[in-house]
Amino acid sequence: MQAPASSAAVAGKRFDVIVVGSGASGGWAAKRLSEAGLQVCMLEAGRALTDADYQEHVPAHALPYRARADEVIRRTRPKQKDCYACREWNYDWFANDIDEPYTTPSDKPFAWMGRLRVVGGRTNVWGRQSYRLGDIDFKAASHDGHGIDWPLTYKDLAPYYDLVEEYVGITGIAEGPDAVVPDGRFHPPMGLSCVEHGVRNRLRRQFGRTMTLGRSANITKPINGRGACHYCGPCEHGCATHSYFNSAFTTVADAVATGRTTLVTGAMVSQVLTDPATRKATGVRYVDRATRQVREVHARVVVLAAQALESTRILLNSQDGGLANGSGVLGRYLMDHISGGGAAAEFPDLAGTVMGPGSPRRPNGIYLMRFRNLPGQPASASKDFLRGYGYQGGGSTGLRNNAPGFGAAYKAALRETSTTFSLGGFGECLPHADNHVALDRDVVDAWGIPVLRVSMRWTDNELALRRDMAVQAAEMLEALGGRQIQIRLNARQIPGYGIHEVGTARMGSDPKQSVLNQFQQAHELQNLFVTDGAGFPSIACQNPTLTIMALTVRSCDYMLEQMKTGTL
């Protein structure tokens, strides 16, 4: 990919579109718009990586601290280190929490993790689980009365799911039209283990519930010059064969290859510029990370795709009371998936091939679809909470790495095998106005930009979901023949650990209750779009990234139509 431009090279220039952010949403926006002939300026806060930066094949013993550097990492990244993906291999891809702080009320801690400062954003380290939402999700408020419906339907988004899946490459198994989570366009499936096959079949037979292979953005056949996954395992360390979806070497590379996208790195965007006379956005102001010089760039249209909280922070910093905030809901209705409930068990009768240290490492698990509070279920099947949850997890046969003892006894115990299977829930968080972000003007980052104050807590509904996750997981595993059941209930897990924060600039049909319309266009500024997860009116219980990408492409197509007609 062509080297990024310097921030000075674009300062003062005018483009057709400015895209802020280069992750899942920003990459697609730049690709779609530049391939349509528009001149695009993409502003990214971080730096560019190359294949030489990826260390997926570097063992722990080859690292300077042998992967025992947690306290060293926490000196600069005390929050980011709580993310499972922030490790010695890649910790310098993450934001420095000292330079880029945020604040919370003392009684409402929030873990804002997964803040990347490299081209591609979170797609460098994401878990890659990619699930469609269905009308049960888009119209959830009509079903149970909480919140607002999305201003679009599954039928509106389905063609864009198709387009994104075919380009991204997602391994999966089609489960049929009656499945709770709609099927997609899948690559050949990665194989299930013996215990996973057994649990899948028993679940369907005994409970009528659907457990499928995780729908993961890892390709299993070559496409677009990318090699098929070779099961080396730690995708969060990078991928030199480009086998998982990372916008840096897919959508962003395609956009830059057109010659019509100018990628600028090290640009800390602080605000959207507007013309009060025309009530339109005119560009953005940003700070060069290296020189700390304040610069501006201008465009016909501005697209914020910085990540839900980052985009909302930019809007809040753009105008007193927040830009495009006539509704007063900007910053409100923050959501994240609640986890921390599940169970594990041993299944000695479903033993398969032993997976030892040198075995292939499938970078994927299983997905058990939501079964609570579904339309058409009898009232007795509903629980004392709204919405539902899905499970992720998996199982295999391996050596007993946690064998007790030492010496000869330990070695003998280590050779024993164990077949285990586990489930961990991801539950839907309801949208509440009290869960919100605002500016903390008493605290600024290293570039002088006011930071966010995040205020969120789980409600009784989420806590009830988490308890049910644990109870149901244990009951299912026991009924399926599991032994040594271990219930897992982490009642202390605070919001943020799902790393799926969405909301804060929600879409809606009514401008009095929402910031954006169905095309993620600001109700109050026609040439301003927010295409990351900030626009979600509700979160469902599926991972959000696939939907973010599909929505982005749909919004870009709408934008192109509006520009052709002169509306924009």
Side-chain angles (χ1 to χ4, degrees):
M1 186 171 69
Q2 181 181 343
S6 68
S7 63
V10 301
K13 290 190 175 182
R14 182 174 176 82
F15 294 81
D16 292 316
V17 182
I18 294 168
V19 176
V20 180
S22 65
S25 174
W28 268 107
K31 172 182 169 65
R32 198 70 169 172
L33 298 173
S34 59
E35 288 181 344
L38 300 184
Q39 293 292 326
V40 177
C41 178
M42 171 180 277
L43 299 174
E44 163 57 45
R47 70 184 193 278
L49 299 177
T50 69
D51 288 358
D53 294 294
Y54 300 148
Q55 300 192 74
E56 71 270 31
H57 298 144
V58 176
H61 65 75
L63 297 172
Y65 294 99
R66 300 187 180 185
R68 296 178 180 270
D70 289 6
E71 294 310 311
V72 174
I73 295 171
R74 287 190 186 277
R75 292 174 188 170
T76 55
R77 291 160 177 84
K79 300 292 187 182
Q80 302 312 304
K81 185 64 193 75
D82 286 341
C83 174
Y84 74 95
C86 184
R87 312 173 74 192
E88 187 178 346
W89 288 265
N90 62 5
Y91 76 94
D92 59 344
W93 301 358
F94 289 74
N96 181 318
D97 290 312
I98 310 305
D99 288 343
E100 299 188 54
Y102 66 97
T103 65
T104 65
S106 59
D107 61 339
K108 294 182 180 180
F110 183 89
W112 191 5
M113 302 182 289
R115 302 176 70 191
L116 274 290
R117 290 298 175 261
V118 290
V119 173
R122 282 185 182 175
T123 63
N124 284 273
V125 300
W126 67 312
R128 305 167 307 286
Q129 294 297 293
S130 303
Y131 303 96
R132 297 187 179 201
L133 304 191
D135 275 329
I136 183 179
D137 307 302
F138 293 124
K139 303 303 176 185
S142 290
H143 179 61
D144 58 33
H146 186 92
I148 62 172
D149 286 336
W150 290 55
L152 70 156
T153 66
Y154 176 71
K155 184 178 179 181
D156 294 325
L157 201 55
Y160 296 97
Y161 276 133
D162 289 348
L163 185 155
V164 168
E165 287 168 342
E166 288 177 350
Y167 175 89
V168 166
I170 295 170
T171 181
I173 299 172
E175 298 294 350
D178 296 329
V180 175
V181 179
D183 287 334
R185 305 289 181 91
F186 300 133
H187 272 225
M190 294 178 167
L192 293 169
S193 68
C194 289
V195 66
E196 290 167 348
H197 269 295
V199 170
R200 166 180 161 88
N201 293 336
R202 292 176 185 180
L203 267 171
R204 188 180 297 276
R205 183 172 61 250
Q206 295 178 225
F207 289 89
R209 296 172 182 172
T210 301
M211 191 192 97
T212 191
L213 174 72
R215 294 174 178 176
S216 182
N218 293 81
I219 60 176
T220 56
K221 63 180 181 182
I223 57 169
N224 302 325
R226 299 163 57 200
C229 178
H230 55 276
Y231 289 54
C232 69
C235 301
E236 64 272 15
H237 299 169
C239 184
T241 56
H242 299 182
S243 303
Y244 76 89
F245 177 79
N246 179 340
S247 64
F249 49 64
T250 54
T251 50
V252 174
D254 286 355
V256 172
T258 67
R260 290 184 288 273
T261 289
T262 302
L263 170 63
V264 179
T265 55
M268 298 289 291
V269 174
S270 60
Q271 61 190 114
V272 176
L273 303 172
T274 58
D275 182 346
T278 62
R279 295 175 59 82
K280 288 186 176 181
T282 60
V284 302
R285 182 172 291 133
Y286 62 95
V287 183
D288 185 299
R289 285 180 73 95
T291 67
R292 286 174 166 69
Q293 288 184 291
V294 179
R295 304 186 185 278
E296 294 180 1
V297 62
H298 304 280
R300 184 175 169 186
V301 176
V302 173
V303 177
L304 297 183
Q307 187 269 334
L309 300 191
E310 299 285 8
S311 289
T312 298
R313 178 190 178 197
I314 292 169
L315 292 174
L316 291 169
N317 270 306
S318 297
Q319 179 178 297
D320 287 344
L323 185 61
N325 192 28
S327 64
V329 302
L330 180 67
R332 298 193 176 276
Y333 302 105
L334 171 61
M335 295 165 282
D336 183 33
H337 283 135
I338 184 168
S339 56
E346 295 189 6
F347 285 85
D349 63 321
L350 295 176
T353 303
V354 176
M355 306 299 288
S359 301
R361 298 170 61 188
R362 186 191 69 195
N364 192 13
I366 59 87
Y367 187 72
L368 201 169
M369 297 182 187
R370 172 183 168 184
F371 52 84
R372 288 298 198 207
N373 298 326
L374 299 176
Q377 284 185 339
S380 60
S382 298
K383 299 300 293 181
D384 56 350
F385 51 79
L386 301 180
R387 313 290 165 89
Y389 52 85
Y391 288 105
Q392 296 177 36
S396 63
T397 299
L399 302 175
R400 290 189 180 276
N401 296 325
N402 59 346
F406 59 92
Y410 170 72
K411 293 178 181 178
L414 187 64
R415 295 190 185 97
E416 297 177 5
T417 62
S418 173
T419 299
T420 58
F421 182 87
S422 65
L423 293 170
F426 279 80
E428 178 166 359
C429 170
L430 295 179
H432 289 283
D434 288 345
N435 286 337
H436 69 281
V437 299
L439 290 183
D440 187 336
R441 295 193 179 277
D442 294 329
V443 181
V444 297
D445 64 19
W447 297 271
I449 305 169
V451 307
L452 281 184
R453 185 168 179 81
V454 185
S455 180
M456 181 179 178
R457 62 158 50 105
W458 299 128
T459 68
D460 290 343
N461 200 77
E462 287 81 56
L463 298 177
L465 270 170
R466 181 159 60 191
R467 288 192 296 270
D468 200 58
M469 289 175 195
V471 171
Q472 278 296 299
E475 288 183 359
M476 283 189 289
L477 294 182
E478 184 175 26
L480 299 178
R483 302 179 184 177
Q484 303 295 323
I485 308 294
Q486 297 179 9
I487 295 180
R488 296 171 177 173
L489 181 60
N490 184 354
R492 293 179 294 178
Q493 192 176 89
I494 61 175
Y497 273 85
I499 322 182
H500 292 161
E501 58 273 13
V502 297
T504 67
R506 71 180 183 179
M507 291 185 280
S509 300
D510 183 356
K512 295 180 180 180
Q513 300 185 67
S514 57
V515 178
L516 310 173
N517 67 16
Q518 64 170 305
F519 298 105
Q520 301 175 102
Q521 178 185 34
H523 289 303
E524 298 173 26
L525 289 88
Q526 286 189 320
N527 66 335
L528 174 64
F529 292 76
V530 184
T531 61
D532 48 36
F536 278 41
S538 57
I539 192 173
C541 63
Q542 297 95 299
N543 302 53
T545 305
L546 179 66
T547 299
I548 289 172
M549 293 191 283
L551 286 168
T552 299
V553 179
R554 181 174 183 264
S555 295
C556 287
D557 284 1
Y558 168 81
M559 185 193 309
L560 289 167
E561 291 176 4
Q562 296 296 300
M563 294 178 84
K564 287 178 182 177
T565 63
T567 305
L568 286 179

